[in-house]
Amino acid sequence: MSLRFLLLFGLVALLGLRSVPAQQTAATHPVTDYGHNLEQETFYLINAYRKADNLPPLQWDFNIAKVARDHSRDMAVGEVDFGHDGFHERVARLGALLPGLKAAGENIFESDDPDQLAQSAVAVWLKSPHHLKNICGDFNYSGLGVWQDKEGTVYFTQIFLKLQPADRTTQAAPPTPGLTTPLGLLATPYTR
């Protein structure tokens, strides 16, 4: 056996032994490191697209990510339908937390295919004029949240904000993703 194989096997074993966070409910699967990796990877891909289009990168904000994650959870548990219902309330909530809010946008996505979810979400958003407008919009902060329902469908919410002054203390963007989800075949995703 090669050293590379043993290292890969060890990494897979370690990932399999990770503990389950306390966010688990009867109606949904927990948001694990898998969900965090999807958030990181999707955010990275959005910023890579913006960079290729000569746009400044979005800054990650944990408050925005929490509000986005809450909306993804609400869709996953059936508290709200898949869609943008409650968007104005989410923006008002963020406006109370983050001074200088000037504009907001939101992209959502759902898929039951665990293979390359981040790439699938971004590819679908880039083909949609409304979603592309948010991705390329005059926004400077963003947060993204994912949640998986009990059937395995994963819900994404990305919220984009324009905050002024732009020199507020920022939080570091998630690191470049190192792991992807190499399972399954590409399923038909749903987006709004």
Side-chain angles (χ1 to χ4, degrees):
M1 285 188 200
S2 73
L3 179 61
R4 188 176 189 179
F5 173 78
L6 289 174
L7 288 172
L8 180 61
F9 180 77
L11 178 62
V12 170
L14 279 174
L15 290 174
L17 295 175
R18 295 199 109 128
S19 64
V20 175
Q23 294 178 352
Q24 183 171 4
T25 67
T28 64
H29 289 209
V31 174
T32 62
D33 286 339
Y34 167 76
H36 182 68
N37 287 341
L38 282 175
E39 291 171 0
Q40 291 177 353
E41 185 177 1
T42 307
F43 189 80
Y44 173 80
L45 292 170
I46 294 295
N47 267 340
Y49 183 84
R50 286 177 62 92
K51 182 179 180 180
D53 209 27
N54 294 316
L55 296 168
L58 297 165
Q59 299 298 310
W60 179 267
D61 186 275
F62 291 103
N63 291 307
I64 302 170
K66 172 150 181 19
V67 171
R69 198 174 296 117
D70 289 349
H71 182 56
S72 292
R73 182 200 61 229
D74 290 348
M75 289 187 292
V77 301
E79 273 188 41
V80 298
D81 290 334
F82 176 72
H84 297 285
D85 288 349
F87 172 67
H88 296 292
E89 289 82 4
R90 287 187 289 284
V91 171
R93 183 174 158 197
L94 288 166
L97 293 170
L98 305 168
L101 178 60
K102 301 296 181 195
E106 178 179 75
N107 288 352
I108 61 171
F109 176 82
E110 73 174 351
S111 178
D112 58 2
D113 175 21
D115 189 35
Q116 299 183 357
L117 277 168
Q119 295 91 336
S120 296
V122 173
V124 168
W125 287 339
L126 293 176
K127 292 178 185 173
S128 161
H130 171 75
H131 297 98
L132 182 60
K133 181 179 176 184
N134 285 336
I135 291 168
C136 296
D138 185 24
F139 299 112
N140 52 1
Y141 291 89
S142 185
L144 194 135
V146 300
W147 203 274
Q148 185 175 32
D149 71 12
K150 64 183 178 182
E151 286 84 30
T153 300
V154 178
Y155 295 82
F156 287 67
T157 303
Q158 183 169 16
I159 298 174
F160 303 84
L161 296 182
K162 174 69 171 185
L163 297 175
Q164 291 182 335
D167 58 79
R168 71 185 272 272
T169 303
T170 62
Q171 300 162 350
T176 303
L179 297 174
T180 58
T181 55
L183 306 171
L185 301 173
L186 184 62
T188 304
Y190 300 97
T191 183
R192 284 199 185 154

